[in-house]
Amino acid sequence: EVQLQASGGGLVQAGGSLRLSCIASGFTFEDYTIGWFRQAPGKEREGVSCITVHDGTTRYADSVDDRFTISSDNAKNTVYLQMNNLKPKDTAVYFCAGDRRGEERGLEAFLFLGSLGALEYWGKGTLVTVSS
């Protein structure tokens, strides 16, 4: 059974940090591109960042500047999103998603397709709330 399990969300004050984790199972982790997406109340889903697991290539949305860092631990089948200097605008439900064709299509396309919900596997979200 394929699973992507996101965790690590919570309530944090502006300027604080959180690290999200996405644990994958049921597929060959190294063959996939894994990414993070977020959806705030009343807004469309937005691609945040993604990583091609086998070589560590990454891409970020402009909206997260250099505050967020994505990484993977292949031994643990886990992708992390380190979020620093959080802002109230970062408040959203964060989802992780994976697709085997991510590298083939390109990471920019991966984030775009994910914003449409058009990726292979999705996990349940984890809520991040940033207070001002």
Side-chain angles (χ1 to χ4, degrees), residues 23-38:
I23 301 175
S25 61
F27 59 91
T28 305
F29 186 65
E30 289 80 3
D31 289 347
Y32 277 68
T33 297
I34 306 292
W36 288 96
F37 300 82
R38 67 187 181 185

Side-chain angles (χ1 to χ4, degrees), residues 44-89:
E44 295 183 348
R45 187 176 310 176
E46 174 190 21
V48 175
S49 181
C50 59
I51 183 168
T52 300
V53 172
H54 80 88
D55 68 0
T57 304
T58 61
R59 188 169 183 97
Y60 297 89
D62 292 341
S63 59
V64 302
D65 303 321
D66 58 354
R67 300 179 296 120
F68 291 8
T69 302
I70 193 169
S71 62
S72 69
D73 184 337
N74 295 5
K76 296 181 178 181
N77 280 15
T78 301
V79 170
Y80 301 100
L81 185 68
Q82 177 66 43
M83 306 186 295
N84 298 328
N85 190 21
L86 282 161
K87 303 176 180 181
K89 68 176 183 177

